[in-house]
Every structure is written in C-alpha cells, then in structure tokens.
C-alpha cells in the first residue's frame, strides 16, 4: 500500500504547479490548506457514511479519494509519506514492547524507592476491547 501512496504523492508533487484549469491538484494548491482540509474532511465523512450504510464498494472509492486528498494536504504541509511510515514503525515497535510488559505491576521490594507512576502502555487492541 505504501508504494501506491508514495507514487500518488509524487504525482501530486508533479501536478501542484500545473494549470489549475486542467489540474485538480493545482487548483487545490491555488486555493490553499483550508480548502484541502475541507476536501479531506468531506472525504472522511463520505467514507464513514458509506461504511455505516454497508456500501463497501463506495467505501473503496471514497477511501481512494481520502488518500488523494490526504497526500495533497501532506504535500502542502511539507509532510512526506516516509515521515508517516517512520512514525507508524515507531508505534509498532512501541506497541510491540507494550505486548512484552508484565500485565500486573512488577512487585518491588519494600526497600526500593517508590517508582514514578507511569501510565501503563496498553496495546491498542486492549484499549479498543475495553470500550
Ligand atoms: N488520485 C487522484 C484523485 N483521486 C480523487 N481525485 C479527484 O477528487 C474527486 C473526488 O472528490 P469529490 O467527491 O469532492 O469530487 P467532486 O465533488 O467532483 O469535487 P468538488 O466539486 O467537491 O471539488 C474526484 O472526482 C477526482 O477528480 C483525484 N484527482 C487526482 N488524482 C491523482 O492526482 C494526480 C494529479 O492529477 P490532477 O490533479 O488531475 O493533475 C494524478 O496522478 C491523479 O491520478
């Protein structure tokens, strides 16, 4: 999937300085981040509506529109896809570590200094399951 988004991002970068009369991307860059954000939000809502309605084909189409508008906003904000992939890999490693944390707090001998109470890292799926 990331290859497709990387290619889309390159296409968006290549299109942003084209004639706005023929390129939607150039038109979005001409109108600026607020318009880009509005389009992205609209697409996100369209994905939600179609998903709730059980229209999976429409979810596919609207998700492609969502990814397009997201890459446009990334480009405008100076974000590259690899920045996002790096953050996702960091979280994967972090959650991976969380998986290895003992489920119950570690029993420390009385003489040990009182540990700084940190928010226990709970794996994402556990958090979702508790909702
Ligand atoms: N991947 C996309 C892409 N996905 C979706 N869209 C556009 O986004 C629209 C979907 O948003 P909407 O549903 O809001 O469509 P709309 O209602 O007609 O739009 P508005 O009237 O609301 O502005 C589609 O109709 C497409 O025109 C895209 N436009 C361009 N790309 C790619 O971006 C690159 C640059 O293309 P140009 O912008 O055409 O130069 C190319 O590689 C294209 O393939």
């Amino acid at each position: 999937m990331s290859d497709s988004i990387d290619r889309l991002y390159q296409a968006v970068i290549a299109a942003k300085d084209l004639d706005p009369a023929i390129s939607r991307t150039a038109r979005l860059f001409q109108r600026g981040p607020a318009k880009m954000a509005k389009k992205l939000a609209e697409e996100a809502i369209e994905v939600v509506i179609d998903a709730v309605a059980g229209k999976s084909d429409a979810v596919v189409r609207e998700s492609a529109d969502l990814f397009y508008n997201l890459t446009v906003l990334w480009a405008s904000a100076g974000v590259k896809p690899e920045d996002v992939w790096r953050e996702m890999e960091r979280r994967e490693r972090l959650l991976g570590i969380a998986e290895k944390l003992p489920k119950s707090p570690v029993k420390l001998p009385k003489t040990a200094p009182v540990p700084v109470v940190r928010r226990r890292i709970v794996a994402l799926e556990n958090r979702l399951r508790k909702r």
Side-chain angles (χ1 to χ4, degrees):
M1 177 187 90
S2 60
D3 288 350
S4 304
I5 294 182
D6 288 341
R7 284 196 306 276
L8 173 56
Y9 181 85
Q10 291 311 320
V12 162
I13 294 292
K16 70 186 182 68
D17 300 320
L18 295 178
D19 177 359
I22 55 164
S23 165
R24 163 185 289 274
T25 304
R27 205 156 47 248
L28 283 171
F29 271 85
Q30 185 182 54
R31 300 183 68 177
K35 177 67 176 174
M36 296 171 181
K38 180 173 178 291
K39 293 306 294 173
L40 179 59
E42 283 172 4
E43 295 304 340
I45 290 165
E46 287 176 32
V47 168
V48 166
I49 290 169
D50 289 328
V52 168
K55 298 177 183 171
S56 47
D57 290 349
V59 171
V60 169
R61 288 192 303 275
E62 295 305 338
S63 297
D65 288 344
L66 181 68
F67 277 131
Y68 163 69
N69 284 283
L70 179 60
T71 53
V72 169
L73 197 62
W74 282 354
S76 167
V79 170
K80 294 185 176 64
E82 53 266 28
D83 300 331
V84 179
W85 310 152
R86 201 177 308 114
E87 172 59 16
M88 290 169 71
E89 284 160 13
R90 185 188 72 85
R91 292 177 183 197
E92 204 176 337
R93 283 196 304 277
L94 182 66
L95 287 181
I97 293 170
E99 288 299 326
K100 298 182 184 62
L101 284 181
K103 295 289 177 265
S104 57
V106 176
K107 301 261 186 298
L108 292 171
K110 290 278 181 279
T111 52
V114 177
V116 174
V117 178
R118 292 183 191 288
R119 190 168 65 85
R120 207 153 59 90
I121 297 169
V122 177
L124 197 54
E125 51 275 12
N126 291 352
R127 272 205 292 261
L128 292 179
R129 205 176 301 135
K130 285 185 185 130
R131 279 192 181 173

